[in-house]
Amino acid sequence: MKKQIICLLIACFASASLEAQTIASLASPNKLIEVKLIQSPEKQIQYQISYKSKEVIAPSSLGFTFKKPVADLRKFNIIRIDSSTFDETWSPILGEVKDIRNQYKQLSLELKDAGNSGIIIQINFRIYDDGIGFRYNFPKQDNLNHFIVDNEWSTFKMTGDHTAFWIPGDYDTNEYTYNKSKLSEIDASAAAAKEKDIALTSPIGKNFVQSPLMLKSAEGLYINVHEAALLNYPVMHLQVNGSTLTSQLTPDAVGNKAYLQTPFSTPWRTLIIADKAEQILASKLILNLNEPSKIKDSTWIKGQKFVGMWWEMHVGKANWPLANGKHGANTANVKRYIDFAAQHSFDGVLVEGWNQGWEDWFGNWKENVFDFTSPYPDYDIDSLTKYAQSKGLRLIMHHETSGSATNYERRMDAAYAYMVSKGINTVKTGYVGRIIPRGEHHDSQWMTQHYQRVAEKAADYKLMVDSHESSHPTGLQRTYPNWLTSEAARGSEFNNAPTLGIASNHTTILPFTRLIGGPMDYTPGLFHLSLNQFDTTRTQKVRSTLAKQLALYVTIYSPLQMASDLPENYEQHLDAFQFIKDVAVNWDDTKIISAEPGEYLTIARKAKGKDAWFIGSITNENARNISFGLDFLDPDKTYEAIVYRDADTADFEKNPEAYIIEKRLVTRVSNMTYRLQRGGGCAVSLKKIN
Ligand code: NOJ
Ligand code: CA
């Protein structure tokens, strides 16, 4: 990193001024984004951002209040301002592209409380071509050792009443339906009140939303607000006041936000800024703001596709507990899944409901219902794990904690050693319900530490993790690449929910919101789209066509992907199932071809180490035509394209399972044109022909 001290503006620090003073400014490497740092006459520190010379973030204040020692850190004297540049290229262990350029300019401020606490804070701004990140550092200092945060006062002052894609602020769940409204029209309380599908909610109030928050200005500028590298700190929610967003940290069980010790750095607060929606999806800013992998030998970390009896439980064919006569995780049924997985070359079989405790797992808020090492008597784990391995695949173990994260921590070593002894290398964790016994929130500092402890402990045992009901991801897949994916949003399981379910536009919003933070275990691939197959009283329908279910394997990035429907349903459509068998989960390249939040999305990805591309296009509840070129293909080569598209009569409400499969030869000068029907999609595989 090249460093330089900015001296030119230092002259104005000394004298008190009646006007706001610009104390430093720095532009992104391509000069399109500029950050100005300002000191107000009241000694507040503000940042202002412009994009292509137009103000995007109006002067916005920064600061903290502490509970212990009591301190109000919102007015400062400036000690020092540095700037530096950085440019490196790194390669993710699993990812959407092979190489990522991390190029930014940095402005670092050192500030001293203008009051009498003597506390020193540093604020670092990293300015990228696609946005900015800033974080606070509390260096080791005589005046501050342990401290308790009352709140962080980071503000993001938008320059207009932008359109927002938002979910209600909630300290315990992010499994909400997305809403679209002007910032001034956000009513999170009303939206949360409609969410009867969610068992546990702690909505914060009318004006609170979660990040990643996607905004679009009237002039067509896209701004995404989120955070990166969330470690040892609570999740940031956002309070909306007019066009100004203010950070709202998740409290702990007694109302404190964070217990910290110097030296400490907060997560990065991030703004991705672009005048094209596609550029928001192509941004690698969040990943770049995370630390490199902590796992030295990562050869055991692999992308995977898996099947499992999970959906049997959700649609009422089977159940988790042994007691009720429909136990899904019995030896014969798991063997059936292993056979199916082996026949179709999957890597894993997820087994839920394998362990004792499910009779009493939900609603009573009990500790110790699961020990994670006691299988039900009708589940012969030893013979099954050997059988799976003889067929070249592995079982994936489920650890539902039922919110008892402390119980899980006490048992983690034994549970992971047990997994290793059975040759199982991937765990799906879950945190349904209240976090007991202390009543921490899912988004609290303690739970953030817990998710990190799980990732680290799992890495000690060479285990890969898929977390459900965890907090929103913030790019930690760079630092802990064994934490393959998480749910942390409304996933496909909600197709079966009785009220709101999953709207047809949901998957066109997810890439702009939830997926900005990291991969998602959405569990796509439903082929039987009326959910009354095993329970004729159910009226729920998946609001997607079958072809769209295929496209989701490309539009929703995850190195761990489930084919979530039942073998008997796939056997009805083995021709369409071929796409799920073929599609990759780890990529050398990704092209965002076209995108608009809430409307449509087309993404092409090149499979890791292969001459094969996969394309996914999806639409919301409206039908539309899609047309694009293939100039990303190698020159002078011919590819066989297999197109899995909606039939002309397909419609998510009336005829969702109607699809057509067509083959054609294409080159890089060919055009793809197809029609996405209502709630529809299209998936394409492209293989180079020798
Ligand atoms: C919610 C999870 O998201 C789902 O995948 C799981 O099957 C149930 N909890 C039971 O643990
Ligand atoms: Ca869930």
Side-chain angles (χ1 to χ4, degrees):
M1 178 173 304
K2 284 189 223 127
K3 260 200 165 183
Q4 89 195 59
I5 306 259
I6 300 190
C7 322
L8 62 160
L9 297 156
I10 285 231
C12 57
F13 300 163
S15 59
S17 165
L18 295 176
E19 279 175 37
Q21 304 273 343
T22 299
I23 52 173
S25 67
L26 196 61
S28 58
N30 69 1
K31 309 239 180 330
L32 296 185
I33 293 180
E34 189 180 26
V35 172
K36 257 191 201 143
L37 299 181
I38 296 160
Q39 188 167 37
S40 75
E42 300 80 27
K43 294 192 162 244
Q44 288 176 345
I45 296 295
Q46 299 168 332
Y47 70 100
Q48 182 204 33
I49 304 178
S50 54
Y51 176 71
K52 296 189 176 170
S53 305
K54 219 179 150 224
E55 185 177 68
V56 178
I57 301 291
S60 300
S61 312
L62 302 166
F64 267 87
T65 43
F66 291 172
K67 251 189 175 168
K68 202 175 165 191
V70 173
D72 188 340
L73 303 166
R74 287 182 280 193
K75 293 176 183 173
F76 301 99
N77 292 319
I78 296 156
I79 300 176
R80 200 163 46 90
I81 305 177
D82 286 352
S83 77
S84 55
T85 59
F86 188 80
D87 190 1
E88 68 164 18
T89 297
W90 61 280
S91 305
I93 285 155
L94 300 169
E96 296 176 88
V97 293
K98 193 161 175 247
D99 299 311
I100 294 175
R101 185 162 182 196
N102 184 11
Q103 186 195 21
Y104 60 83
K105 300 221 180 154
Q106 178 161 287
L107 262 182
S108 308
L109 269 180
E110 185 155 299
L111 307 167
K112 191 170 186 177
D113 176 19
N116 54 15
S117 75
I119 292 171
I120 288 172
I121 298 190
Q122 297 158 348
I123 311 178
N124 282 347
F125 284 83
R126 289 192 180 165
I127 307 146
Y128 290 84
D129 288 346
D130 52 354
I132 69 123
F134 66 85
R135 81 171 349 164
Y136 304 84
N137 304 323
F138 298 95
K140 213 164 174 44
Q141 52 193 290
D142 293 343
N143 290 309
L144 193 65
N145 182 21
H146 288 284
F147 57 109
I148 300 176
V149 173
D150 165 59
N151 210 4
E152 175 187 323
W153 299 101
S154 297
T155 55
F156 310 86
K157 216 169 179 190
M158 301 298 152
T159 54
D161 190 12
H162 302 332
T163 299
F165 295 84
W166 57 273
I167 55 174
D170 188 315
Y171 298 137
D172 277 296
T173 183
N174 32 42
E175 297 190 355
Y176 280 104
T177 296
Y178 284 99
N179 301 276
K180 177 183 173 184
S181 76
K182 295 276 185 209
L183 279 169
S184 62
E185 288 159 4
I186 287 174
D187 186 343
S189 304
K194 284 193 237 147
E195 299 274 5
K196 306 258 184 318
D197 295 347
I198 302 177
L200 177 92
T201 63
S202 311
I204 311 170
K206 187 167 185 275
N207 298 322
F208 292 87
V209 296
Q210 304 199 32
S211 79
L213 177 67
M214 190 64 232
L215 301 171
K216 185 179 181 185
S217 78
E219 296 80 35
L221 189 74
Y222 298 84
I223 305 167
N224 184 280
V225 189
H226 191 38
E227 58 181 329
L230 171 64
L231 290 168
N232 189 20
Y233 200 76
V235 164
M236 175 180 74
H237 288 72
L238 296 165
Q239 179 175 17
V240 188
N241 194 345
S243 302
T244 301
L245 314 173
T246 305
S247 56
Q248 170 71 29
L249 302 181
T250 304
D252 77 346
V254 295
N256 294 327
K257 305 292 165 50
Y259 303 81
L260 303 171
Q261 183 177 16
T262 57
F264 181 79
S265 300
T266 69
W268 296 90
R269 279 61 189 95
T270 61
L271 291 156
I272 305 173
I273 302 165
D275 52 13
K276 293 202 169 64
E278 293 80 16
Q279 289 169 356
I280 298 282
L281 300 187
S283 171
K284 295 287 169 279
L285 183 136
I286 300 275
L287 275 174
N288 277 331
L289 287 168
N290 275 271
E291 295 299 315
S293 173
K294 289 209 157 86
I295 298 172
K296 296 264 161 339
D297 165 25
S298 53
T299 49
W300 51 275
I301 300 173
K302 300 258 186 288
Q304 305 173 43
K305 278 184 284 185
F306 68 100
V307 294
M309 82 290 289
W310 169 83
W311 196 234
E312 289 191 14
M313 280 64 150
H314 286 269
V315 289
K317 180 182 181 193
N319 213 332
W320 289 268
L322 175 66
N324 61 12
K326 289 211 292 191
H327 186 220
N330 65 74
T331 303
N333 200 29
V334 175
K335 187 169 174 298
R336 182 172 80 100
Y337 275 88
I338 295 172
D339 288 336
F340 180 77
Q343 189 190 344
H344 298 288
S345 310
F346 281 79
D347 306 288
V349 172
L350 168 69
V351 188
E352 293 205 7
W354 67 275
N355 56 329
Q356 295 179 33
W358 286 91
E359 282 69 22
D360 199 14
W361 79 287
F362 184 72
N364 292 328
W365 319 120
K366 278 196 195 160
E367 283 212 273
N368 294 317
V369 286
F370 296 114
D371 69 9
F372 312 101
T373 52
S374 301
Y376 278 125
D378 66 340
Y379 174 63
D380 185 350
I381 187 166
D382 287 317
S383 76
L384 287 167
T385 194
K386 281 194 201 99
Y387 186 63
Q389 279 177 27
S390 76
K391 300 248 169 186
L393 54 106
R394 303 217 198 199
L395 300 180
I396 296 178
M397 189 169 267
H398 184 220
H399 287 168
E400 173 56 64
T401 67
S402 61
S404 186
T406 44
N407 177 49
Y408 193 48
E409 295 223 352
R410 284 191 294 271
R411 298 175 185 277
M412 230 150 51
D413 264 301
Y416 293 170
Y418 181 75
M419 285 178 64
V420 171
S421 77
K422 305 290 176 203
I424 298 175
N425 66 358
T426 306
V427 61
K428 170 178 168 179
T429 59
Y431 299 90
V432 170
R434 285 187 211 136
I435 304 298
I436 51 177
R438 288 207 315 197
E440 298 296 347
H441 292 296
H442 286 71
D443 286 353
S444 64
Q445 180 191 25
W446 192 87
M447 282 303 284
T448 305
Q449 294 165 341
H450 170 78
Y451 306 130
Q452 183 187 357
R453 281 194 285 267
V454 169
E456 287 175 347
K457 177 72 69 187
D460 291 346
Y461 288 85
K462 296 200 162 85
L463 303 178
M464 293 170 268
V465 180
D466 165 15
S467 59
H468 277 227
E469 295 86 37
S470 45
S471 61
H472 62 206
T474 60
L476 288 170
Q477 70 271 24
R478 178 175 181 192
T479 314
Y480 300 107
N482 66 316
W483 187 356
L484 293 181
T485 191
S486 51
E487 183 192 38
R490 176 160 293 218
S492 180
E493 63 180 347
F494 276 87
N495 279 304
N496 187 43
T499 44
L500 291 181
I502 294 202
S504 299
N505 68 3
H506 185 68
T507 44
T508 66
I509 301 172
L510 281 176
F512 288 94
T513 50
R514 162 63 183 75
L515 284 150
I516 292 290
M520 176 170 179
D521 186 25
Y522 180 78
T523 61
L526 296 177
F527 276 19
H528 198 288
L529 300 163
S530 289
L531 302 181
N532 59 359
Q533 204 178 354
F534 303 100
D535 173 356
T536 49
T537 64
R538 291 191 196 200
T539 52
Q540 295 95 306
K541 286 185 174 176
V542 181
R543 281 175 260 162
S544 150
T545 65
L546 191 150
K548 180 174 178 177
Q549 290 290 310
L550 300 179
L552 296 177
Y553 288 89
V554 183
T555 60
I556 296 180
Y557 168 66
S558 179
L560 181 72
Q561 288 277 27
M562 182 174 200
S564 58
D565 214 329
L566 316 181
E568 55 266 43
N569 292 339
Y570 287 134
E571 270 150 9
Q572 302 298 310
H573 303 282
L574 284 175
D575 53 355
F577 188 55
Q578 189 62 42
F579 182 83
I580 303 181
K581 291 170 63 172
D582 292 342
V583 71
V585 291
N586 190 22
W587 310 96
D588 271 339
D589 203 1
T590 288
K591 306 278 180 207
I592 314 294
I593 292 171
S594 64
E596 180 61 23
E599 298 290 325
Y600 58 84
L601 191 65
T602 295
I603 298 181
R605 302 192 197 266
K606 183 174 184 294
K608 174 69 79 199
K610 293 203 178 126
D611 281 325
W613 285 79
F614 295 86
I615 303 172
S617 286
I618 60 169
T619 181
N620 59 5
E621 63 285 0
N622 300 318
R624 64 187 86 223
N625 297 325
I626 298 284
S627 183
F628 57 91
L630 297 173
D631 60 0
F632 47 84
L633 297 180
D634 286 352
D636 308 322
K637 298 285 175 201
T638 302
Y639 291 74
E640 182 191 58
I642 309 177
V643 179
Y644 303 76
R645 67 170 175 88
D646 293 326
D648 297 344
T649 56
D651 178 298
F652 77 97
E653 282 176 308
K654 296 194 202 100
N655 193 16
E657 288 163 27
Y659 61 88
I660 284 174
I661 301 176
E662 291 162 338
K663 282 190 184 165
R664 57 183 271 221
L665 297 181
V666 297
T667 67
R668 76 192 309 255
V669 297
S670 304
N671 247 24
M672 301 295 291
T673 303
Y674 38 73
R675 183 160 181 82
L676 310 178
Q677 303 297 347
R678 297 176 65 240
C682 179
V684 183
S685 71
L686 294 155
K687 209 163 58 200
K688 202 192 263 182
I689 297 174
N690 291 329

